Every structure is written in structure tokens, then in C-alpha cells.
Amino acid sequence: MDYFGIASILVVISALFGYINVKFLKLPITIGLMLITIVFTMGAVVIGQFDDTILQTEREFISNINFGTLLLDVMLSFLLFAGALHTNFDQLKIQRWPILAFATIGVLGSTLLVGAIMYPLLTAMGFNVTFIHCLLFGALISPTDPIAVLGILKKVGAPKKLETKIVGESLFNDGVGVVIFLTIYAIAKKPNAAIEVSEIATLFIQEVGGGILLGGLLGWIAYRLMKSIDNYEVEVIITLAAVMGGTLLAHKLHLSAPLAMVTAGLIVGNDTIRETSMSEVTEAYVDKFWELIDVLLNTILFVMIGMEMLVLALDTSYLYAGLIAIPVILACRYISLFAPVKIFAKRLDFVPKTTLIMTWGGLRGGISIALALSLTVDMNKDLFLVMTYIVVIVSIVGQGLTVGPIIKRITKKYSS
């Protein structure tokens, strides 16, 4: 099937399931779409026991989609730019140091803790895994997903300073998490080669620092171009060009495209820059355009996550391993956030129970699945993919449906 056919089917399914969610379920779009898709897929599996026509058609369709490449190389840049564009820049500036600590020390700490704990657990369960491969699992499951949590936070009216911490951390830790994963992946691919610390450090600095610098340059160029004209059609196209051209350039230069897009989005979306570079009409069109892109890609992403069930090797022992991983990952996230929160809580006004809220509000999403799909068979791909999928489903459905009431209860309790 060609690209247009795949895109058309995904959009049609997304529109249909989105309608069902809005009309009947009335759940947050990410949760609703994924649940409907999972039910649809399970229905196809049940019907397939009697007539496998629908099941085989769906399997063939999924096999034509390279989920990892599509998300990491294409969709992620658009989603992160859109998320950054609507992030409160002033609050982000105030909270920049804790957000930086969460997105770097937090992700790295969580990666090491998850790897160190899951290795003996999986070994005790009889799985033939290595420590480096468990670290890979820690790296792919540690980044949180701003796409999944942003709508939920806005819906419950979370305090701005709390929303900024969670969304700001998620925007940046995606890029950092991908770089950490790729670094460990490079080591895992050559287990017998000598590990050059300087080479790893150079790669990390190049990807992270280079990505942020490229994003800053793209944001500044977009700002200067938009400031010099007053034409909303062209100015919307300039923002689109910054994302598409910037992503292509980041890949060519081996820089972090996610971090570049987050940085560019924060600059273009900055209130001060908006006032000097966009008319009210342009601002409205830019915001509406990127909101539409965000919603469209979100719907497609979570429909694909639901359909990816069909590529899983559903071994019972894999399911048990995934269930065991859930409390381990939550505990590791809590521990990795504890020290940064304690350090900065004295200088900044933190919402009470910030560590707990950020632990439960740190949803996992498509990025984790995309990274798991990139593993090789030698890296225990089937095992870690099933574990990742279980963690993502429980995270989005279980945590996603309860994080709102938890935030409301905690903030109400301490504000009353």
C-alpha cells in the first residue's frame, strides 16, 4: 500500500473513533482513541477465530507502517513544536532550573535505576537478559509524554506552575531520553568493543547542545522573517518550514531534532516575540493551525498505538514481566525526582506533593513504543516491546484517568 493510502485510512479511522469518543465516551482524546482502537483490535482477534479476513487485513495494514520511523523522524517534531508553541514561556523561564534537572538528572537516574532493578528481577524469572539491554529498557521507558498529559492538565485546571513543570519536563526529556537511548544502543550493538567515555560524551553534547542551538537559530530566523512582513498565510508557512526544514537539517547534522523543535517552538511562541512579530490575525491563524496539527497527529498516533497490539508476541511470561515493571518504573521515577524537588522547593514555590503528582502524571506514550520497536532480536525485542506496551497502556488509561482527580484533590486540600 502506498503512503497516501496508509495516511487516508489512518485519518478515516481517527475521525470515526474520534467521533465515537466525543459522542459517547467523552474521555480525553488520547485515552478515548486508544481504548476504542484496542477494543476494535481485540474484536478483530475474536472474530478472527471464526473468519480471519478482518484480522489479516488489519495485520497487513500495520505491517506496512514503520511506527518507529514515522513517529521519531516525522510526527514527533510537529507534536513537540506545537506543544512548545503553547507553553507558558514566562513560567518556563522561572522554573527552568528544576525542569532542566528533571529532564536530565531525572531521566538518567530513572534509566539507571530501572535497569539495575529489572535486571535481577527478569533474570530470576528465567529470562536470558543482559544488564546493558535492561538499561536500554530503562532508557526507553523513562521519558514522559507531553502529548498524553497536556490535554488532561488543561482540562482539570492544574496550577500553571505545576503544569509548566510537568509539560516543560516532558518536552525536554523526550529529546534527552532519545539521546540517552541511542547512546546506550550504540554500546549494546558492540558489546565487545572498548567503551570510549570521551566519544560518548561528545555524542551526547553534540546531540543535545547542537539540537538546542539549531532550534534557537531556527526560532530566531522564523521570528525575523515573520516580523518583516504582515501576511498570515506566509507566516503560517514559515512556521511549518521551520519544523520540516529544521527536522531534515537536524537529521543531516546528527543533532537532536526533538530538542531543536522544542527550542524553536518556545521562541516563536514567546509572548514578547509574538507581540513584535505577529498581528492579532496572524497569531490566531498560527495558533489554530498548530492546534489542528496537534489534534490530528495525536489522534493518528494513539490509533496506531492501539493497533500495534497485533505485532506483539503475547507470551504469558512477558505479560507478567510487564506487570512487575509498572510499580518498579513508578518507584524509580519517584526516587529520581525526589532530590531535584527537595533542592528547588526551598527557592521556588512548589505545589505540595509535587513529587507524587509528577510521578503519577508522568505518562508514557508513543515514544517509548517507537524506541522499543527499534530494538533488535538479540536485545530481547519481543520481551521489552510487550513490557513497554503494558506500561504505556496502564500509564495512559490508569494514570491518565486518575491524575486529574488526584491533582484536584491535592491542590484543593492545600489551598483550602
Side-chain angles (χ1 to χ4, degrees), residues 357-399:
I357 293 172
M358 289 189 67
T359 298
W360 199 249
L363 309 187
R364 272 67 181 183
I367 292 161
S368 294
I369 291 176
L371 293 175
L373 283 165
S374 71
L375 296 173
T376 64
V377 175
D378 294 340
M379 296 172 180
N380 305 96
K381 177 179 179 176
D382 288 344
L383 167 63
F384 289 128
L385 182 57
V386 172
M387 289 172 63
T388 302
Y389 201 88
I390 290 170
V391 171
V392 168
I393 290 177
V394 171
S395 172
I396 291 175
V397 178
Q399 292 170 233

Side-chain angles (χ1 to χ4, degrees), residues 66 71 89 122 154 156 174 201 217 283 333 350 368 398 400 416:
N66 189 327
L71 177 57
F89 187 85
L122 292 175
K154 289 188 180 298
V156 301
D174 278 351
L217 179 62
E283 190 173 354
R333 176 160 170 80
F350 273 32
S368 294
S416 59

Side-chain angles (χ1 to χ4, degrees), residues 153-167:
L153 291 174
K154 289 188 180 298
K155 191 173 181 180
V156 301
K160 280 293 176 187
K161 55 191 175 184
L162 177 63
E163 180 186 315
T164 303
K165 285 187 189 72
I166 295 176
V167 175

Side-chain angles (χ1 to χ4, degrees), residues 165-334:
K165 285 187 189 72
I166 295 176
V167 175
E169 180 219 359
S170 299
L171 286 170
F172 282 101
N173 76 13
D174 278 351
V176 173
V178 170
V179 173
I180 291 172
F181 175 84
L182 292 175
T183 303
I184 298 173
Y185 187 90
I187 297 170
K189 278 179 68 177
K190 301 175 182 178
N192 299 320
I195 299 173
E196 294 288 342
V197 177
S198 59
E199 187 179 333
I200 294 171
T202 302
L203 173 66
F204 191 84
I205 293 168
Q206 176 186 327
E207 287 270 353
V208 174
I212 292 172
L213 287 174
L214 176 61
L217 179 62
L218 290 169
W220 181 80
I221 291 172
Y223 157 67
R224 296 300 300 180
L225 292 174
M226 293 168 74
K227 185 179 180 181
S228 64
I229 60 172
D230 184 14
N231 183 293
Y232 72 85
E233 296 103 330
V234 175
E235 290 180 73
V236 169
I237 293 171
I238 287 171
T239 62
L240 185 60
V243 174
M244 298 181 75
T247 300
L248 189 63
L249 188 58
H251 290 155
K252 290 289 183 185
L253 299 175
H254 302 290
L255 308 177
S256 172
L259 288 175
M261 292 308 105
V262 169
T263 308
L266 288 172
I267 291 173
V268 175
N270 182 0
D271 287 340
T272 305
I273 287 178
R274 281 172 177 263
E275 290 170 5
T276 57
S277 65
M278 302 184 208
S279 65
E280 288 185 12
V281 174
T282 297
E283 190 173 354
Y285 272 92
V286 167
D287 284 342
K288 291 299 179 185
F289 174 79
W290 283 103
E291 281 174 15
L292 179 60
I293 292 289
D294 193 27
V295 171
L296 175 62
L297 293 184
N298 256 311
T299 56
I300 291 173
L301 171 61
F302 284 92
V303 163
M304 286 196 301
I305 289 175
M307 295 177 79
E308 285 291 324
M309 275 183 66
L310 292 177
V311 305
L312 301 179
L314 293 177
D315 187 291
T316 308
S317 60
Y318 293 176
L319 298 176
Y320 289 145
L323 293 173
I324 289 171
I326 293 167
V328 171
I329 290 162
L330 287 171
C332 292
R333 176 160 170 80
Y334 186 91

Side-chain angles (χ1 to χ4, degrees), residues 110-127 129-131 133-138 141 317-318 320-330 332 383-384 387-388 391:
S110 175
T111 297
L112 296 172
L113 285 169
V114 171
I117 295 172
M118 289 309 302
Y119 175 59
L121 286 176
L122 292 175
T123 303
M125 291 179 70
F127 292 109
V129 295
T130 63
F131 179 63
H133 296 156
C134 290
L135 277 181
L136 270 175
F137 175 68
I141 208 66
S317 60
Y318 293 176
Y320 289 145
L323 293 173
I324 289 171
I326 293 167
V328 171
I329 290 162
L330 287 171
C332 292
L383 167 63
F384 289 128
M387 289 172 63
T388 302
V391 171

